[in-house]
Amino acid sequence: MMNQRLDEFFDETWEKYRKPLKNKTKSIVRQYDKYLLREGIIKPPQKIKTYNKGVIVLPAYPPPAVDNPIFKEPKKIAFIHEDVGHITGGRYYAYFMISALLELGHDVTIYSNRKAVFSHEFDQYKKPKFKIVSKTASQLATAKIPKSDVYIGSPIHGGVNAIKQAEKHNKPAYVLIFDPFPMMDKFIGKRKYTGWTHLVKGLRETDAQVISLCNETSKYIYDWLGKEREEVHPVYPCINSIILEQTEDQERQDYALFISRLVKHKRFQDCVKACAENDIKLKVISSVNGIKEKAQEYVKEYDADVDFHLRVDDKTKFEMIKQARVIINGSMFEGFGMYVAEAIACGTPFVGYDYPTFREIRDYAKAKNIYLAKMKDADDLSDKLKQALEEKKFAEPSKEFHFEKMITRIKDI
C-alpha cells in the first residue's frame, strides 16, 4: 500500500511539473516516508486481512447486518448529490437508494446542483425534499448544508461535502463509490482521474465509510482508500421493479438488444459484428443526445441491421427486453452491469465478455442463461451469441434485483 501511495505522489508531481522524478529522488522520498512512519509522524497504512494465499474472500451477498445498523431507525439524512444533464447509472442508483431510505422511514433531503433529467421515472416512489444549493457541480463541495444525523455524498463534490459536514458535526458519513480506480486501471488501462483528489484524500484520512455496488468492486476499494472490510458496504443496484411489474408480457421478436452508452470500453463494434455474423437485427438503447459517427461507421462496416433508440423510458425499455431474444454487450468494464440484472429480471438471455461483476450477478441470481465470452475476443462473442440464439433459454423472471431487496439490504448497514 505504501508503494501505491508513493506512486500516486510521483504521478502528482508529473502533473504539476511535467518532468519525471529521477530514481535517486524517488529513493530519497521512499526513505523519508519510512522515517515518517517509524517516528509515528504519519500512521501506517491499514492492511486488509486476506485469505487463501492473499485472495480477498468476501461473504456471499448480502453480507450479515452490522452491529447497531445506522439506517435501521429513522434519521434526518442529508443526501448531497451532484447531478448532470443526462442519465447515468450511478445517479439512477443514487435515486433508488434515496427511495429505499424513504421507505425505511428516514427524513431525506437532496442537496444538489440541479434536478435529475430522469426524476419522472420515480413518480411512483416516495419523494424526498429537494433543494438546489449550488449553481455548478464543483460549488456543491462547499455548499451550506443544514445539520443532519447522517450525511451521504454522491459522487465527487457531493462526497467531499458529506465528509466535511460529518467531521464538522461529528456525525457518520457515507460516500457512494461506483468505479474504483484500481479496477478501471486493470480492465481499461491506467488513466488520469481529474477532480478526485480531495474526495480520495478525505476518504483516506477520515472515518467516512463507503457504499459500493457489489463484492467485486469492493475488493478494489480497501487498499485504494485505506478502508477495512467493515467500512465498505456493497449494496446491489435495483431495477425499476414498480414499472416492470406494470409491464405486460411480450412475444419474443427476432432481435438482440444493446443497452448502454456508446463509449469506447463498451466495444459496441464487437456487438455489431456478432449480430451481423448471426444474421440478427440489433436494437440499441442509449442515453446520449446523438449517435456518434463511429457507431454508424461500425454499422456500415459490417453491413448490419441496427436501430437506435434514444432516451427510452423504463416501461418501453422493459418491453423491449421482454421482446428481445438476447441482451448483448461488449463492455470491458462496469461498476456493476445493470443491463445484466434487467435481463435476468425479464428472463432474457445475456451475452457479454467474461467480466467479474457479471459472474457475481449470475451466481447471485443463479441464472442459467448467461453466456460469457473470452475477454476482447470478438469471434468468441459471436459464437456465444450463436449459442444463446440456438438454445433459447428464456427463464422465469427473477425478483433478486427488485426494489424491495435494496430496502432490506440498506436496513442492515
Side-chain angles (χ1 to χ4, degrees), residues 247-258:
T247 306
E248 296 181 358
D249 292 338
Q250 307 286 316
E251 288 188 13
R252 297 289 174 178
Q253 298 181 17
D254 196 26
Y255 67 82
L257 182 61
F258 177 98

Side-chain angles (χ1 to χ4, degrees), residues 384-397:
K384 290 297 188 294
L385 175 59
K386 180 180 180 182
Q387 182 183 352
L389 293 172
E390 289 176 347
E391 292 182 351
K392 299 179 181 179
K393 288 186 178 179
F394 303 117
E396 285 293 318

Side-chain angles (χ1 to χ4, degrees), residues 69-321:
I70 290 289
F71 298 114
K72 189 174 183 179
E73 301 297 333
K75 290 179 174 60
K76 182 178 180 180
I77 298 176
F79 204 108
I80 311 172
H81 179 68
E82 175 188 331
D83 222 318
V84 292
H86 56 88
I87 297 175
T88 70
R91 287 165 175 83
Y92 213 63
Y93 171 89
Y95 266 67
F96 271 119
M97 179 165 287
I98 292 163
S99 299
L101 290 167
L102 291 168
E103 288 291 337
L104 290 169
H106 296 285
D107 178 8
V108 184
T109 302
I110 300 176
Y111 299 94
S112 186
N113 58 301
R114 63 178 298 158
K115 195 91 170 179
V117 297
F118 53 78
S119 57
H120 62 282
E121 298 285 3
F122 288 81
D123 285 346
Q124 298 186 55
Y125 293 85
K126 289 184 177 180
K127 295 285 190 297
K129 300 167 188 171
F130 184 91
K131 294 183 180 180
I132 293 178
V133 292
S134 69
K135 294 181 179 180
T136 66
S138 61
Q139 290 174 351
L140 194 62
T142 55
K144 292 183 179 179
I145 307 296
K147 186 176 180 179
S148 301
D149 299 319
V150 182
Y151 297 90
I152 303 177
S154 168
I156 307 176
H157 300 99
V160 171
N161 203 342
I163 294 172
K164 184 179 73 173
Q165 297 298 329
E167 289 286 289
K168 178 181 178 181
H169 299 293
N170 193 28
K171 297 292 183 179
Y174 295 83
V175 176
L176 277 56
I177 296 293
F178 307 125
D179 304 327
F181 295 171
M183 191 176 188
M184 295 180 72
D185 290 346
K186 178 178 179 179
F187 287 97
I188 54 179
K190 194 170 179 62
R191 62 202 55 228
K192 299 295 181 184
Y193 300 96
T194 305
W196 282 81
T197 302
H198 293 300
L199 179 57
V200 171
K201 185 174 185 290
L203 284 166
R204 288 175 176 169
E205 296 180 354
T206 70
D207 293 331
Q209 300 191 32
V210 173
I211 294 176
S212 66
L213 294 176
C214 60
N215 283 340
E216 285 295 336
T217 56
S218 296
K219 292 178 184 179
Y220 294 86
I221 289 173
Y222 304 125
D223 282 349
W224 171 45
L225 297 178
K227 298 298 179 184
E228 297 287 351
R229 283 183 14 171
E230 62 269 18
E231 296 176 306
V232 180
H233 309 279
V235 178
Y236 280 177
C238 69
I239 67 168
N240 195 338
S241 50
I242 290 180
I243 299 298
L244 175 63
E245 295 294 340
Q246 296 171 356
T247 306
E248 296 181 358
D249 292 338
Q250 307 286 316
E251 288 188 13
R252 297 289 174 178
Q253 298 181 17
D254 196 26
Y255 67 82
L257 182 61
F258 177 98
I259 309 171
S260 207
R261 291 179 299 142
L262 295 169
V263 292
K264 186 176 180 181
H265 71 267
K266 305 288 184 176
R267 294 185 74 91
F268 176 66
Q269 68 272 25
D270 294 357
C271 300
V272 175
K273 175 180 180 293
C275 290
E277 291 178 348
N278 284 280
D279 195 27
I280 185 169
K281 185 184 189 70
L282 177 63
K283 292 189 178 183
V284 177
I285 293 177
S286 182
S287 63
V288 296
N289 292 325
I291 300 301
K292 293 185 177 180
E293 292 182 6
K294 199 68 178 175
Q296 295 286 14
E297 289 177 11
Y298 296 139
V299 175
K300 294 177 181 177
E301 178 182 350
Y302 295 109
D303 192 24
D305 184 4
V306 181
D307 285 345
F308 293 96
H309 302 260
L310 301 180
R311 297 190 180 278
V312 169
D313 61 29
D314 277 349
K315 182 176 184 297
T316 304
K317 177 181 65 177
F318 286 127
E319 289 175 346
M320 292 177 71
I321 295 172

